[in-house]
Amino acid sequence: MAGTSEWVRAVGDADFAAEVLASELPVLVEFTADWCPPCRMMVPVLAELAAERATELRVVTVDVDVNPETQAGYGVLSMPTLMLFSKGEPIWSAVGARPKRWLGQELTEALTRARAAA
């Protein structure tokens, strides 16, 4: 499945609620597809971020071709779509590939806002 590595786990319709919505840590979800070139560009970026931030967040991928219920449930139309979930709710999202530094900064800002609102 696209985007999986030692630090990035693939999840699907059957385990999305348990792996993402019920997670104690925030979870960055990449909605992806094997046929998507920008998604392939995100594989090393997500793997590095997942390894570097393993104590503060988890990173998972959802293959939209295999998991249409989750894709439809969150209105995902373009790949890659990135969504950050905290306490079972999406708190940030973006469409398209991005450099690691840029994505890291966006995640830090979103997590800071979520902590301040809690």
Side-chain angles (χ1 to χ4, degrees):
M1 189 173 286
T4 58
S5 75
E6 174 185 356
W7 295 99
V8 179
R9 181 182 149 117
V11 300
D13 290 342
D15 59 353
F16 188 85
E19 295 290 332
V20 175
L21 304 181
S23 176
E24 293 291 321
L25 287 176
V27 182
L28 176 63
V29 178
E30 180 201 27
F31 290 90
T32 186
D34 286 333
W35 49 262
C36 168
C39 299
R40 287 192 293 274
M41 292 171 43
M42 290 302 297
V43 171
V45 171
L46 294 174
E48 288 177 27
L49 279 173
E52 291 170 5
R53 295 185 173 209
T55 59
E56 85 177 288
L57 65 86
R58 296 179 59 227
V59 179
V60 302
T61 62
V62 175
D63 185 325
V64 297
D65 291 329
V66 181
N67 302 286
E69 291 175 26
T70 303
Q71 173 194 7
Y74 289 98
V76 174
L77 300 175
S78 299
M79 271 57 72
T81 290
L82 303 165
M83 283 189 186
L84 182 62
F85 287 78
S86 180
K87 298 181 179 152
E89 297 294 326
I91 62 168
W92 172 88
S93 67
V95 176
R98 17 190 47 65
K100 179 182 156 195
R101 188 172 54 111
W102 185 12
L103 178 56
Q105 182 176 343
E106 290 174 311
L107 292 174
T108 297
E109 291 170 3
L111 290 167
T112 300
R113 282 192 308 274
R115 283 188 209 95

